[in-house]
Amino acid sequence: MSETYAAAPAATVSEGARSRRSEITVKVLTVLLALFLGLASGLPKLFRAEAATEAFDKIGWGDWFMYAVGSLEVLGAVALLIPILSGAAALAFIGLMAGATVFNLTVLDAPEAVITTTLLAAVLAYIARSRRAHTAQLLRRLRP
């Protein structure tokens, strides 16, 4: 019984080039998400933009909740840009996206918004996985 194997293509990408391309992709996605979550999502809540206040009025938990979420988004966006904090920040944002998904489905009656929160969570999961070494380093530093 003989087995035949196809030869690997001659133009395969080296492991170094692939990991470099992956690292650039993660950095670009991280910066874009930090800008979006900090500037386009967090700051409007802190400055009481009309769209933000309407949504949080529907939730009914008061302005403190809008300010808390906005603060978490801005601080998390900054943490995404700090290498040792980036993985942990991405994980925290996944939790925030899960909460936003629940509110969009139950309180705000905006099922179309679930697409956005799910896509953001997927990209954040990619960042968190790519930055798992940073997260492990952070945990080692935090241990007594």
Side-chain angles (χ1 to χ4, degrees), residues 83-130:
I84 196 165
L85 299 176
S86 59
L91 290 172
F93 269 124
I94 292 170
L96 192 67
M97 290 303 114
T101 300
V102 170
F103 276 103
N104 285 327
L105 288 173
T106 59
V107 178
L108 300 176
D109 194 31
E112 67 283 351
V114 172
I115 296 169
T116 303
T117 56
T118 304
L119 287 175
L120 286 171
V123 175
L124 288 160
Y126 175 70
I127 292 170
R129 185 179 186 286
S130 299

Side-chain angles (χ1 to χ4, degrees), residues 16-68:
R18 190 175 314 139
S19 64
R20 178 165 160 66
R21 204 174 355 197
S22 177
E23 182 63 23
I24 290 170
T25 301
V26 171
K27 285 183 179 182
V28 168
L29 287 172
T30 301
V31 170
L32 290 175
L33 274 179
L35 289 171
F36 173 75
L37 292 167
L39 300 177
S41 187
L43 285 181
K45 293 173 182 80
L46 296 178
F47 290 110
R48 296 186 51 80
E50 187 177 332
T53 56
E54 286 176 12
F56 280 87
D57 284 344
K58 285 184 184 178
I59 293 171
W61 287 4
D63 286 346
W64 72 268
F65 188 61
M66 179 177 64
Y67 291 129

